[in-house]
Amino acid sequence: MNDSANPTLPYLSFDARTRRVRLDPHEPAFVQNPYAAYGWLHIHCPAFFWEDYGFWCFAGHDEINRLLRDRRFGREKPADGLGGGADRAHLADFDRVERHSMLELEPPAHTRLRTLVNRAFVSRQVERLRPRIEELANELIDGFEGDGDVNLMPAFATPIPVVVIAEMLGVPAENAPQLLDWSHRMVAMDMHGQRRETQESANRAAAEFSAYIRDYANQCRRKPGDDLLSLLIAAEEDGAKLSEDELVTTAILLLNAGHEATVNQTGNAVKTILESGRDPKALFATPESTAATVEECLRYDAPLHMFTRYAYDGIDLGDGISIRPGERIGLILGAGNRDPRSFDEPDRFLPGRADQKNVSFGAGIHFCIGAPLARLEMQVSLKTLFTRLPGIRLAETPLYRDTYHFHGLERLRLEW
């Protein structure tokens, strides 16, 4: 490989002729600060072939936004859907869940599922959850306020979205630790270079999670309530209801997606605000400033850094980039949010910026269905935290988890 000299980022290798990049996503320096590499890529090759993944990736905001909406690409793998075969026999239960996930499907199946889920979701009127989120945030702070210090991730960032989505679905919140365990084992399948034991663990988690949801669905059928699971069971569009497998998968997807990103973003946001030196009282002074602060936190340090798409045809993207049918591309959301061609001073935390257009929730038909809930949870929980504990400060350097393309903190120790 004819690598260009890169003394500032010794872990990144680049061949200018082929635009091939070698960058181990597990490299500690990259895990703790991917933005240094993104900044270099923006200058030298915003479109590049990431050898560690084996596909073309795009770091530019406008390109990411366009490709997320390009119907020539999609989430559903062409032909076999999940790349099945004998080598995936140990993932039968996991694949069964994924097969019915609207996140992994395209129209018309995606349209039908999303319409059914969206109707049930909207009927809950997310804004009505504001008092419960505030109550929960205050209860959690009551539990550690007198200690003078806390690891915010397990004590605050994690419980709020987990309890809220569990209560929405009608699943007992006291089962949150088990739900978290299943979720973490399943989403580990999205990580780079997972091992056989990781896959087998994810498969067991999928089987156990599915059995759990089926049991609760049966209870809801016998005694329906106004929870989301009951509404999903009753939801109907043009005479078509969710099948049993679709119901199970959708409930698992909502539980997993309903907390994973928000947990990460809450920790990232607190770190960002404290490191910025800005006055939290001013940031959360009004509903408008609170919303603007959360939106800039989403841009500045996003919880999801890569989303992939499959090509459904041979596609010439120009500039010498040709994608064959069935090949994947990677859209680097975290890099797109820091694109100097799209944002003024992209590496500065500037709540209320006029060019706010982050792609943290995606775009197009797969735009995050839970975005309104995630925004509300962060607006309420962050405002409550900084109001209750105005003197909080970092007790140590925050540590990110080695879980690219998810981007979140392993530990966030605060003191006051």
Side-chain angles (χ1 to χ4, degrees):
M1 192 176 200
N2 182 24
D3 299 335
S4 66
N6 188 9
T8 59
L9 298 172
Y11 53 84
L12 188 156
S13 299
F14 173 56
D15 186 321
R17 184 180 60 82
T18 61
R19 282 180 289 174
R20 287 179 172 260
V21 166
R22 278 203 300 254
L23 172 59
D24 182 357
H26 303 288
E27 163 61 41
F30 179 71
V31 170
Q32 297 306 317
N33 178 22
Y35 301 107
Y38 295 162
W40 190 92
L41 291 167
H42 279 306
I43 295 170
H44 296 278
C45 54
F48 60 96
F49 189 89
W50 196 338
E51 288 206 339
D52 302 78
Y53 282 96
F55 48 70
W56 282 95
C57 291
F58 300 84
H61 175 276
D62 291 350
E63 290 77 12
I64 291 169
N65 191 39
R66 174 173 52 81
L67 289 168
L68 283 168
R69 302 169 190 274
D70 192 330
R71 300 302 304 129
R72 297 175 299 173
F73 295 93
R75 288 289 296 172
E76 188 172 354
K77 186 174 182 180
D80 59 4
L82 285 164
D87 61 331
R88 291 187 69 89
H90 63 295
L91 286 167
D93 292 304
F94 179 86
D95 284 351
R96 185 180 182 184
V97 171
E98 292 289 284
R99 192 172 294 116
H100 300 286
S101 172
M102 63 179 170
L103 184 63
E104 309 299 338
L105 295 173
E106 294 299 313
H110 172 271
T111 307
R112 183 179 68 85
L113 282 173
R114 184 163 179 127
T115 300
L116 288 167
V117 172
N118 194 51
R119 285 191 172 187
F121 211 89
V122 170
S123 72
R124 293 290 299 172
Q125 296 178 345
V126 165
E127 180 61 32
R128 292 169 51 197
L129 295 170
R130 183 180 294 272
R132 174 57 179 142
I133 298 169
E134 186 172 356
E135 175 188 44
L136 183 57
N138 278 302
E139 288 176 356
L140 292 168
I141 295 170
D142 287 343
F144 58 73
E145 183 179 16
D147 297 336
D149 70 283
V150 69
N151 179 0
L152 200 73
M153 300 311 293
F156 187 79
T158 300
I160 291 176
V162 173
V163 169
V164 169
I165 194 65
E167 290 181 349
M168 284 183 70
L169 277 161
V171 174
E174 58 265 28
N175 291 342
Q178 180 61 77
L179 301 177
L180 278 170
D181 176 65
W182 286 328
S183 177
H184 290 158
R185 288 158 59 192
M186 289 183 70
V187 300
M189 286 292 291
D190 292 325
M191 309 304 173
H192 174 264
Q194 82 267 156
R195 301 203 298 236
R196 174 74 178 222
E197 54 262 41
T198 301
Q199 296 177 352
E200 291 175 347
S201 176
N203 194 65
R204 289 193 301 272
E208 293 164 6
F209 210 159
S210 296
Y212 176 87
I213 295 298
R214 288 180 199 279
D215 179 63
Y216 266 93
N218 288 333
Q219 294 183 39
C220 288
R221 289 188 179 94
R222 292 193 297 269
K223 190 177 179 180
D226 65 352
D227 56 85
L228 186 51
L229 196 55
S230 295
L231 291 171
L232 288 173
I233 291 170
E236 192 166 354
E237 173 71 12
D238 296 330
K241 291 190 174 186
L242 292 170
S243 70
E244 179 79 3
D245 284 343
E246 288 172 341
L247 176 69
V248 168
T249 292
T250 300
I252 290 175
L253 173 63
L254 291 175
L255 280 164
N256 287 354
H259 79 272
E260 284 283 349
T262 309
V263 170
N264 289 343
Q265 186 59 64
T266 300
N268 295 357
V270 172
K271 171 184 178 290
T272 294
I273 290 167
L274 292 177
E275 288 182 340
S276 74
R278 290 178 171 266
D279 179 10
K281 186 176 180 180
L283 295 179
F284 298 100
T286 67
E288 293 75 20
S289 66
T290 297
T293 296
V294 166
E295 215 58 28
E296 177 67 347
C297 287
L298 283 161
R299 183 200 70 85
Y300 187 81
D301 200 16
L304 178 67
H305 276 215
M306 182 196 285
F307 212 34
T308 59
R309 290 286 192 271
Y310 288 101
Y312 292 143
D313 203 348
I315 301 169
D316 183 0
L317 292 177
D319 201 21
I321 302 174
S322 295
I323 311 296
R324 293 178 298 191
E327 287 187 333
R328 279 195 296 173
I329 59 171
L331 308 176
I332 316 298
L333 309 181
N337 286 340
R338 296 282 195 104
D339 186 350
R341 296 172 300 172
S342 296
F343 298 96
D344 291 331
E345 300 184 277
D347 295 325
R348 286 190 63 197
F349 178 65
L350 298 172
R353 60 168 57 242
D355 54 2
Q356 183 60 260
K357 51 187 175 182
N358 71 75
V359 289
S360 297
F361 288 117
I365 67 168
H366 285 288
F367 181 82
C368 177
I369 198 170
L373 176 60
R375 286 184 165 117
L376 178 65
E377 288 173 335
M378 287 185 287
Q379 289 169 15
V380 174
S381 65
L382 292 173
K383 178 179 174 62
T384 304
L385 177 71
F386 283 102
T387 300
R388 288 282 305 273
L389 301 173
I392 57 173
R393 57 188 179 274
L394 296 173
E396 64 183 23
T397 301
L399 182 69
Y400 287 96
R401 289 180 292 121
D402 177 12
T403 52
Y404 194 82
H405 49 259
F406 296 106
H407 181 67
L409 294 165
E410 179 178 308
R411 191 170 66 247
L412 179 58
R413 294 212 65 86
L414 306 177
E415 59 187 13
W416 51 92

